[in-house]
Amino acid sequence: MGIKLTLLIVFFAVMVAVGLYSRKHATSVDGFVLGGRSVGPWLTAFAYGTSYFSAVVFVGYAGQFGWKYGLSSTWIGIGNALIGSLLAWVVLGRRTKVMSQHLKSKTMPDFFGERYSSKALKIAASAIVFIFLVPYTASIYNGLSRLFGMAFNIPYTYCVIAMAVFTGIYVILGGYMATAINDFIQGIIMLIGIVAVIAAVLSGQGGFLEAIRKMAELPSDVPVTLGQPGAFTSFFGPDPLNLLGVVILTSLGTWGLPQMIGKFYAIKDEKAINTGTVISTLFACVVAGGSYFLGGFGRLFDGSAIYDEGGNVVFDSIVPHMLSTLPDILIGVVVVLVLSASMSTLASLVLTSSSTLTLDFLKDNVMKNVSEKKQVRTMQVLIVFFIAVSVVIALDPPTFIAQLMGISWGALAGAFLAPFLYGLYWRGVTKAAVWASFAAGVGITVSNMFLHYIASPINAGAIAMVAGLVVVPIVSILTPKLKKEHIDEIFTCYEEKVTITKKRSLEAN
């Protein structure tokens, strides 16, 4: 217990110290929200990765999908690395940096407002962010409850409050720069922790090959496999179609999430984007690939601890049960690992929510001619508000808390992915098409919560994203275009920037 508590105390002390160190970067709106748009590639890449992978992934998703799909759940981690990280940086990184800087947009709703010349779109987008990021924020705590119960016998309430307080302190003190530096530290912990845990868990099963042999002997409970053994070690697992839905939502979904895209706004320059692409992809390979790979062995730890009173599997209990037999030092590392994943994601979410509500909704609508200092103060107050709301929800969670991440990702990415992606590359996107995408993304996700016409919220989210990618070009073709002068000015700026960059590169060579 002493070792585990010492690790926790050191961890929290470092987080607060970073917040105090970063205070000088948080005096202006640009500094508080984007770190002055001067954050280097290592900090940005780790901030992207740690915002991507939270306790929901390590504890909830790894346990749930590892149990359902066996070792083929590793494809989810591979998809996260190749689609959610590598392709996201290649396709979105450079254009987002240049275009958002030219439009002077600090948030994704701000981008929609400037890119499509519509204040109404900006306000609607900020409302969607607020509504769907708050429940996602609450779901972050869910992965911690059973893990802390296993490691410390500390009541879940104390754990949630402590995590919320320390996250709030360093975000309020240092803004984006504090979250970026802490994300880097937390990312290192996650990399070391996931490797150590996988090695320890497999060692307890007699090594990698022995664990594979045991998995291969397990009969599948998926009807299509007719109960035959070997399904959980097969290449695409017992249910490839639903596995694909998970890959799409958890990988392509990042392209439309405001807390992820915001990292490209803040990065220092285009050269840093190239470096960040490699770092972010490797980070995702280890952390996401490792988490789902570990979860894939969950059925080897079948026991009463993972079932509820009705005999149903409690997916959030699988990974903590797998880790319960580890040595104290490794359990301490795991607790800090999951805390790192959770606090980094929580910090990114509350900063995104507060900045969006302040800059895109309150400013110029409720707060007229407000100074930069007052805008920063308003964001700091709202950070406290968002954390408090998320704690209230997390302490008395609704029955579908485990599905909140899928619902939030589906609504946000379904609404934003298509108009943001097309808006970066295609001059022909119209306001009506953006409204249609907002309606489709939110409509499909929310209606499915009540009508359940799509069996899984995960698949509903994936369908919402694909629907937006289809709806936006069709509606754009059929509806009035934006003013040519406005569009030409935006895209000419980007093309000139690319030409200048290429010229400098040739001169340097």
Side-chain angles (χ1 to χ4, degrees):
M1 184 65 73
I3 293 172
K4 291 180 281 191
L5 284 175
T6 301
L7 286 172
L8 276 183
I9 292 168
V10 171
F11 174 78
F12 284 130
V14 170
M15 299 301 104
V16 174
V18 168
L20 291 168
Y21 167 78
S22 305
R23 289 182 69 182
K24 62 180 180 288
H25 296 283
T27 54
S28 66
V29 172
D30 231 34
F32 191 82
V33 178
L34 299 173
R37 297 185 191 263
S38 59
V39 185
W42 282 87
L43 291 184
T44 303
F46 272 69
Y48 185 92
T50 54
S51 297
Y52 195 165
F53 308 115
S54 68
V56 178
V57 171
F58 183 76
V59 175
Y61 274 23
Q64 178 177 346
F65 300 123
W67 184 270
K68 287 183 176 180
Y69 309 128
L71 293 182
S72 66
S73 64
T74 308
W75 281 111
I76 306 170
I78 294 171
N80 293 171
L82 297 182
I83 302 172
S85 291
L86 177 62
L87 270 182
W89 279 72
V90 170
V91 175
L92 302 177
R94 187 182 200 178
R95 281 186 174 259
T96 300
K97 169 67 180 175
V98 175
M99 201 173 284
S100 65
Q101 196 159 1
H102 171 67
L103 294 172
K104 296 183 173 60
S105 60
K106 298 178 178 67
T107 65
M108 185 178 275
D110 197 13
F111 173 87
F112 289 131
E114 297 297 329
R115 168 65 178 82
Y116 298 109
S117 298
S118 173
K119 188 176 181 180
L121 278 176
K122 178 178 175 178
I123 293 172
S126 67
I128 293 171
V129 170
F130 169 70
I131 291 168
F132 289 99
L133 275 191
V134 170
Y136 177 22
T137 303
S139 74
I140 300 300
Y141 301 100
N142 198 44
L144 291 170
S145 58
R146 297 177 191 281
L147 192 65
F148 264 76
M150 176 269 291
F152 294 103
N153 292 319
I154 295 176
Y156 173 50
T157 300
Y158 297 158
C159 164
V160 167
I161 292 173
M163 176 181 156
V165 168
F166 281 101
T167 304
I169 288 172
Y170 79 74
V171 178
I172 290 168
L173 287 174
Y176 183 86
M177 187 59 76
T179 67
I181 295 171
N182 272 329
D183 286 349
F184 181 76
I185 297 168
Q186 291 160 348
I188 296 294
I189 294 170
M190 290 167 70
L191 287 172
I192 295 171
I194 195 67
V195 172
V197 167
I198 290 172
V201 168
L202 291 182
S203 175
Q205 291 294 320
F208 173 66
L209 293 179
E210 179 64 16
I212 292 288
R213 185 191 66 76
K214 292 177 182 176
M215 285 290 295
E217 293 176 351
L218 296 175
S220 170
D221 51 9
V222 179
V224 73
T225 62
L226 302 177
Q228 294 298 311
F232 294 118
T233 54
S234 62
F235 199 67
F236 290 119
D239 193 0
L241 190 59
N242 279 314
L243 176 64
L244 178 62
V246 179
V247 172
I248 291 172
L249 177 69
T250 61
S251 301
L252 194 60
T254 60
W255 294 35
L257 297 178
Q259 74 271 22
M260 305 298 296
I261 298 300
K263 306 299 184 286
F264 300 135
Y265 287 45
I267 199 166
K268 182 167 59 177
D269 52 39
E270 292 168 68
K271 184 179 178 183
I273 290 172
N274 296 331
T275 307
T277 303
V278 177
I279 299 167
S280 176
T281 304
L282 293 176
F283 182 89
C285 279
V286 176
V287 174
S291 294
Y292 287 109
F293 176 73
L294 176 67
F297 290 98
R299 285 182 180 261
L300 296 182
F301 296 82
D302 195 356
S304 60
I306 66 170
Y307 293 93
D308 62 17
E309 294 177 355
N312 301 307
V313 178
V314 180
F315 295 121
D316 289 346
S317 299
I318 294 172
V319 170
H321 179 58
M322 292 174 70
L323 305 176
S324 61
T325 57
L326 296 180
D328 276 353
I329 183 67
L330 269 182
I331 290 178
V333 169
V334 170
V335 169
V336 175
L337 183 162
V338 176
L339 257 182
S340 298
S342 300
M343 289 179 69
S344 57
T345 304
L346 179 64
S348 179
L349 293 175
V350 296
L351 185 58
T352 301
S353 299
S354 65
S355 59
T356 295
L357 192 58
T358 302
L359 301 176
D360 303 325
F361 188 79
L362 297 178
K363 184 188 172 188
D364 298 331
N365 295 311
V366 178
M367 302 162 58
K368 305 283 187 180
N369 302 318
V370 64
S371 66
E372 289 228 344
K373 186 175 181 180
K374 191 169 182 181
Q375 290 178 54
V376 172
R377 289 284 178 267
T378 303
M379 283 185 274
Q380 290 170 330
V381 170
L382 285 172
I383 285 169
V384 175
F385 169 73
F386 281 116
I387 288 179
V389 171
S390 68
V391 167
V392 170
I393 296 174
L395 292 179
D396 187 20
T399 54
F400 56 86
I401 187 73
Q403 303 300 329
L404 284 179
M405 181 178 173
I407 293 166
S408 297
W409 275 46
L412 289 163
F416 295 157
L417 188 154
F420 185 77
L421 175 62
Y422 286 126
L424 291 176
Y425 282 90
W426 183 30
R427 295 169 181 249
V429 185
T430 65
K431 288 181 191 177
V434 181
W435 283 114
S437 181
F438 286 5
V442 174
I444 291 172
T445 309
V446 173
S447 63
N448 189 62
M449 287 173 57
F450 300 100
L451 302 178
H452 306 293
Y453 52 88
I454 302 170
S456 164
I458 302 294
N459 289 343
I463 290 169
M465 284 186 285
V466 174
L469 292 171
V470 174
V471 164
V472 167
I474 292 174
V475 176
S476 293
I477 292 170
L478 301 174
T479 53
K481 303 294 184 286
L482 293 166
K483 290 181 180 178
K484 186 175 184 299
E485 299 80 15
H486 173 71
I487 298 300
D488 286 346
E489 194 269 335
I490 293 173
F491 281 86
T492 300
C493 166
Y494 176 77
E495 289 158 2
E496 287 174 353
K497 179 73 174 176
V498 170
T499 303
I500 292 169
T501 304
K502 286 181 178 178
K503 185 177 179 182
R504 286 176 180 169
S505 178
L506 289 171
E507 288 173 352
N509 293 330

